[in-house]
Amino acid sequence: MTKIVICGVGGQGTILASDILSLVAMEEGYDVKKSEVHGMAQRGGSVISNCIFGKKVYSPLIGLGEGDILLAFEKLEALRSLSYLKKNGKMIVNDYEWLPITVASGDATYPENIIKTLKKKVENLICVDGIKIAADLGNIRTTNVVLLGVLARFLPFKQESWLFVLEKRVPKKTVEINKTAFLLGFASEA
Amino acid sequence: MREFMSGNEAVARGAYEAGCRVACAYPGTPSSEILENIAKYKDKIYCEWSTNEKVALEVASGAVFAGARSLVAMKHVGLNVAADPLFSMGYIGVTGGFVIVSADDPGMHSSQNEQDNRNYARAAKIAMLEPSDSEEARLLTKLGFDISEEFDTPVLLRLTTRISHSYGIVNIDERKEHPPRGYKKDVKKRLILPAHARPRHIIVEERLKKLKDYSNSFPLNRIEWGNRDVGIITSGVSYQYVKEVFPKASVLKLTLTWPFPDKIIKEFAKGVKKVIIVEENDPFLETEIKAIGIDVIGKEKLPVTGELDPYILKRAFGSSEEVYPTQDIPSRPPVLCAGCPHRGVFYVISKLKLTATGDIGCYTLGALPPLNAMDTCVCMGASVGNAFGLERALGDEISDKIVAVIGDSTFFHSGITGLIDIVYNKGTSTIIILDNSTTAMTGLQEHPGTGKTLMGEETKKIALENIAKACGVENVYVIDPYNLKETEEIIKREVKRREPSVIIARRPCVLMVKSEPPLMVISEKCTGCKLCIGLGCPAISIKDNKAVIDKFLCTGCGMCAEVCLKEAIEGNCS
Ligand SMILES: Cc1ncc(C[n+]2csc(CCOP(=O)(O)OP(=O)(O)O)c2C)c(N)n1
């Protein structure tokens, strides 16, 4: 069984990413469960979704210390969700800062050197500038798919399955750019 | 065919397959997607956003009288609003099958409390089903209609956030039509004045006995024998956590949890050395099981508060696996969106230092810093009565400092009766209705003021100002909350008025309209005074002592430019 935690900020497209991931796992014949929270959390707050696949999946939730891979769309959120990662788990973090309102208003400070802090704790850390890749491609809204591309490198799924699901799941007009975003993420040096 | 579905989608699918004819709801997380998905089958199922949950349950009950299979869905607290007809329908029973969906929210991801609605099944003496994943959600919705018709009872389908918003693989089926059985007048059944209700109560008690026998032989109340040292009794999503964490244990999975299946529980308890109950929130099963004389371990090990997960379960029963410690870092609370029209009103309330009784919706976020512009939030509609009560207790002087703030959907839901109370009882309160022309918090649903139905049809748009006037309020004003100056003037004037007033702050939710070009800060003019930060806009932050605007988040609403005294914020940045 493989347990993947995706975290970020409401509005970053984490839900679409975990949707696609789950559908690819299903496409490949696995049992899959996914869990996420809607409502209050979506208004620019911290968001987490869980995706678990394997021969037979029971719990839709990943408990603390259980995640095999943590995919973080934002650095502060990577730190926040760190405790969901198991001790020898892998973390993929988007090198991006989104100031929470507590910081923007000057009541708190955004921690410095998060990547460094994370590196000290997590051996298996991959840092990507997903936004840059997406911006170079011409649409920063594809950042979530770039990050999925990075994640895909560590999962046992065929590339065709990813592209097949992407085609079904993203808006028609953006199919091509999203496919490219995925492939760029997959091939990125990070 | 297999599909990947959330629990809510699966309930909708189950209702469709079961031949459901009528479905009603008022939105509420985590239940809202049930009706949104039923709307996909609108050629077969009449569906509506009702004004509130009580109305939803009553409309569905009417359809049940006609013998049509009907469903009503709501979040847990919605069932409080609908509790009155629920208890009556418990007595009246059904003609067409009746499934009442309650989506509870352990952990309070998006709710004001953590009430455990299993207690309603017991209190209203009706049958209850608890699915443990999406596939069961589909199956039990269908089965719910059958049980409802067979035993002449409404069936409570109890979901929780982790059922509603978790996804799993579902095997979908064809629809089987159940044409309405037709309406036949039967006052002894449906007109429950005391003389009719007394015999009905006897029938209800007999029904419970029959249901109990059924529950004891219900195939989905099943024993999965494993190691006999411990036996775990569980239901709902907790079953999944148990299977994951204790794959070898003997498990009694309960699915029809009310009436309580005593025989199978006794049998299970006899077969194991020790019984553990794993359930979220209240010790519902535990209380019943202890009452039949079985010694169990339950809430002394597991929390009553919050939701469960595999880690909590492991911890409670002895695992000491090490995990990364939680980090001490700045929190990231949800915020009013950049460009949210509610912000204008809250900025003014905050500036005028008013006491604001509040209500439930996106606008409750106006309570957070830096706006801090809301004092109370009790339940939907409460702001109106609360403001009046404060005024009555403290006298006219203080009432010049009080406003009630309520959203448009919330006002339709349950603010109107409070307003009538104020007029009738000679109050002078000021009510601000935040009219963003949608039900934003729960995902932008239509409501009686939007001019559209759930089924996508055009309909009469009910005007808030007409309602206010019809309730007898003479001072009714419509303002644009982006216009801070006007907003301030009118609120200032109306709180002082010794008559009731209604101020409608009207501007559509920023998520529904195309953004204006973003604004930008002219760095030379910015003195770093942070006045604009007081708006609490997520697009504005301070960098090197100057304000900066995130051009991707900014919607060009212009409120920050209005607030700035140095004219340092301008439009038309590219
Ligand atoms: C009795 C009850 N039903 C439903 C809800 C869920 N709920 C919370 S806020 C809200 C809608 C608020 O809409 P509106 O008043 O228009 O404010 P907006 O979110 O658009 O600002 C709903 C349906 C609830 N909390 N209580």
Side-chain angles (χ1 to χ4, degrees):
Chain A
M1 199 152 39
T2 306
K3 302 185 177 189
I4 299 172
V5 178
I6 301 183
C7 67
V9 180
Q12 278 194 301
T14 51
I15 287 189
L16 179 68
S18 64
D19 254 6
I20 292 171
L21 169 61
S22 308
L23 292 175
V24 173
M26 184 174 161
E27 187 64 30
E28 297 253 347
Y30 290 95
D31 188 17
V32 198
K33 280 188 180 165
K34 176 180 85 129
S35 189
E36 64 209 14
V37 168
H38 305 186
M40 206 65 168
Q42 283 176 318
R43 303 274 174 270
S46 308
V47 288
I48 283 198
S49 51
N50 292 169
C51 172
I52 305 159
F53 62 88
K55 233 176 102 174
K56 165 85 190 150
V57 177
Y58 289 105
S59 168
L61 263 195
I62 299 172
L64 296 182
E66 291 189 339
D68 295 293
I69 304 181
L70 175 71
L71 172 59
F73 280 38
E74 200 272 349
K75 287 193 289 188
L76 187 61
E77 296 313 308
L79 212 46
R80 197 184 314 282
S81 291
L82 176 63
S83 48
Y84 285 102
L85 189 66
K86 66 180 187 200
K87 273 291 167 83
N88 56 352
K90 181 189 295 295
M91 183 188 280
I92 300 167
V93 52
N94 186 20
D95 192 359
Y96 173 62
E97 273 181 32
W98 180 329
L99 303 187
I101 197 80
T102 44
V103 171
S105 62
D107 293 338
T109 41
Y110 196 94
E112 278 174 42
N113 296 324
I114 290 186
I115 299 290
K116 231 188 195 163
T117 313
L118 286 171
K119 262 193 186 135
K120 269 193 229 143
K121 298 174 194 279
V122 183
E123 206 173 304
N124 240 323
L125 182 86
I126 289 155
C127 180
V128 253
D129 193 342
I131 300 242
K132 182 167 185 308
I133 298 174
D136 288 349
L137 187 61
N139 187 349
I140 63 156
R141 288 193 205 287
T142 61
T143 308
N144 55 353
V145 176
V146 171
L147 295 172
L148 268 185
V150 181
L151 173 67
R153 292 216 298 266
F154 309 101
L155 298 179
F157 308 143
K158 292 189 289 289
Q159 203 167 78
E160 299 102 85
S161 306
W162 285 100
L163 297 177
F164 173 76
V165 171
L166 266 175
E167 187 154 345
K168 275 202 309 198
R169 203 48 197 78
V170 302
K172 257 216 164 65
K173 271 195 268 171
T174 67
V175 168
E176 281 317 308
I177 191 164
N178 272 302
K179 281 185 176 175
T180 316
F182 176 82
L183 294 172
L184 283 176
F186 195 85
S188 68
E189 278 300 305
Chain B
M1 215 171 59
R2 284 152 38 98
E3 278 196 32
F4 194 57
M5 282 187 173
S6 70
N8 283 348
E9 283 174 88
V11 168
R13 182 69 204 183
Y16 169 77
E17 291 174 5
C20 175
R21 291 284 173 135
V22 172
C24 308
Y26 181 75
T29 314
S31 71
S32 313
E33 299 83 3
I34 297 172
L35 262 275
E36 286 173 341
N37 279 288
I38 283 187
K40 291 181 186 157
Y41 310 114
K42 65 183 182 197
D43 53 330
K44 296 283 186 195
I45 307 178
Y46 166 81
C47 55
E48 68 167 44
W49 289 130
S50 308
T51 322
N52 65 29
E53 292 86 352
K54 178 174 186 292
V55 175
L57 204 144
E58 289 159 351
V59 172
S61 301
V64 165
F65 294 162
R69 289 192 156 190
S70 305
L71 176 142
V72 61
M74 59 200 73
K75 72 181 285 159
H76 60 335
V77 290
L79 203 51
N80 301 337
V81 177
D84 207 358
L86 168 75
F87 280 75
S88 291
M89 288 303 288
Y91 273 32
I92 289 170
V94 307
T95 309
F98 194 11
V99 173
I100 298 170
V101 188
S102 164
D104 296 6
D105 191 16
M108 292 181 275
H109 297 283
S110 218
S111 303
Q112 68 266 41
N113 79 18
E114 208 166 12
Q115 73 188 49
D116 187 332
N117 276 6
R118 293 178 298 174
N119 295 303
Y120 267 116
R122 177 162 48 197
K125 301 173 187 282
I126 60 176
M128 169 165 63
L129 295 167
E130 290 187 74
S132 67
D133 61 15
S134 295
E135 173 64 354
E136 271 193 1
R138 182 190 68 90
L139 273 174
L140 294 180
T141 305
K142 290 171 81 165
L143 211 56
F145 285 108
D146 295 339
I147 294 173
S148 172
E149 286 168 2
E150 188 178 335
F151 293 91
D152 193 8
T153 175
V155 170
L156 185 70
L157 183 73
R158 192 257 188 171
L159 314 177
T160 55
T161 298
R162 299 301 180 178
I163 299 297
S164 287
H165 288 170
S166 291
Y167 290 67
I169 298 172
V170 170
N171 297 301
I172 64 173
D173 221 337
E174 295 299 308
R175 176 175 168 95
K176 213 172 135 225
E177 290 298 343
H178 279 264
R181 295 172 170 185
Y183 178 72
K184 253 203 248 97
K185 182 167 172 173
D186 184 353
V187 290
K188 287 205 171 124
K189 181 172 166 66
R190 300 197 190 103
L191 197 151
I192 50 165
L193 41 74
H196 294 165
R198 281 181 206 115
R200 285 304 307 173
H201 188 184
I202 295 167
I203 293 171
V204 166
E205 296 301 330
E206 281 163 7
R207 177 180 80 195
L208 273 176
K209 278 190 205 131
K210 285 184 210 148
L211 274 165
K212 200 173 189 103
D213 290 342
Y214 179 74
S215 183
N216 272 314
S217 61
F218 187 65
L220 292 170
N221 285 340
R222 82 174 169 249
I223 297 175
E224 299 169 4
W225 290 118
N227 179 325
R228 303 274 183 141
D229 289 341
V230 274
I232 302 174
I233 303 178
T234 184
S235 70
V237 74
S238 304
Y239 165 77
Q240 308 292 352
Y241 306 148
V242 166
K243 291 299 281 186
E244 167 118 12
V245 176
F246 306 108
K248 299 214 176 83
S250 291
V251 176
L252 169 56
K253 178 196 186 300
L254 295 180
T255 303
L256 200 173
T257 44
W258 193 260
F260 171 74
D262 54 347
K263 285 202 188 101
I264 190 170
I265 288 169
K266 284 182 187 151
E267 180 199 333
F268 182 69
K270 254 189 225 138
V272 293
K273 288 202 188 120
K274 189 163 77 177
V275 179
I276 296 173
I277 315 285
V278 177
E279 59 186 326
E280 284 180 319
N281 291 158
D282 292 355
F284 180 84
L285 296 172
E286 185 176 334
T287 307
E288 296 295 330
I289 293 172
K290 280 182 173 161
I292 55 172
I294 296 171
D295 196 23
V296 299
I297 300 165
K299 289 297 166 187
E300 68 264 42
K301 287 270 190 192
L302 289 166
V304 172
T305 56
E307 58 179 358
L308 297 179
D309 70 24
Y311 176 77
I312 294 172
L313 210 53
K314 270 188 243 169
R315 268 287 150 120
F317 294 99
S319 155
S320 53
E321 230 172 90
E322 252 196 68
V323 301
Y324 288 111
T326 340
Q327 311 290 312
D328 183 21
I329 52 175
S331 63
R332 190 188 299 273
V335 283
L336 291 173
C337 303
C340 174
H342 298 335
R343 179 172 284 109
V345 169
F346 288 123
Y347 182 76
V348 168
I349 288 175
S350 174
K351 187 171 166 196
L352 299 177
K353 301 197 167 58
L354 301 178
T355 295
T357 57
D359 230 297
I360 306 192
C362 282
Y363 52 94
T364 313
L365 297 171
L368 301 180
L371 292 163
N372 302 309
M374 195 181 277
D375 288 53
T376 63
C377 167
V378 177
C379 66
M380 287 191 74
S383 60
V384 184
N386 289 163
F388 185 39
L390 269 172
E391 173 186 325
R392 274 292 177 255
L394 298 173
D396 280 349
E397 264 335 288
I398 196 86
S399 89
D400 289 354
K401 293 242 132 227
I402 301 173
V403 289
V405 201
I406 182 167
D408 48 348
S409 181
T410 306
F411 182 74
F412 285 113
H413 176 282
S414 49
I416 299 171
T417 40
L419 185 61
I420 292 174
D421 191 71
I422 291 170
V423 176
Y424 168 53
N425 290 304
K426 301 163 73 170
T428 70
S429 315
T430 304
I431 314 300
I432 304 176
I433 305 177
L434 300 167
D435 178 10
N436 59 357
S437 303
T438 188
T439 318
M441 176 85 263
T442 44
L444 306 175
Q445 292 84 6
E446 306 292 345
H447 66 57
T450 66
K452 264 227 169 119
T453 68
L454 171 61
M455 294 168 82
E457 287 165 6
E458 302 281 324
T459 182
K460 194 169 200 111
K461 217 181 199 170
I462 299 173
L464 293 166
E465 47 273 50
N466 292 348
I467 294 183
K469 285 180 194 150
C471 292
V473 179
E474 289 178 14
N475 312 292
V476 180
Y477 303 94
V478 179
I479 58 171
D480 175 2
Y482 276 3
N483 184 337
L484 296 176
K485 197 162 154 262
E486 178 199 48
T487 300
E488 182 173 339
E489 273 167 22
I490 293 190
I491 292 179
K492 222 176 184 168
R493 187 185 74 209
E494 292 308 311
V495 285
K496 292 227 171 69
R497 197 193 286 278
R498 295 289 152 88
E499 282 175 17
S501 337
V502 167
I503 302 169
I504 300 164
R506 178 167 292 153
R507 187 168 267 273
C509 172
V510 68
L511 298 175
M512 302 195 298
V513 292
K514 211 174 162 304
S515 292
E516 297 291 326
L519 305 190
M520 64 180 216
V521 177
I522 305 154
S523 189
E524 303 77 60
K525 288 194 188 172
C526 177
T527 59
C529 73
K530 295 192 181 169
L531 258 182
C532 55
I533 292 290
L535 283 165
C537 175
I540 312 177
S541 56
I542 296 286
K543 230 184 197 149
D544 303 327
N545 271 324
K546 305 259 180 189
V548 281
I549 295 178
D550 181 324
K551 67 175 177 183
F552 293 113
L553 289 178
C554 177
T555 66
C557 76
M559 281 188 267
C560 54
E562 271 182 88
V563 166
C564 180
L565 297 174
K566 307 287 178 210
E567 295 181 351
I569 301 178
E570 269 188 2
N572 287 335
C573 116
S574 53

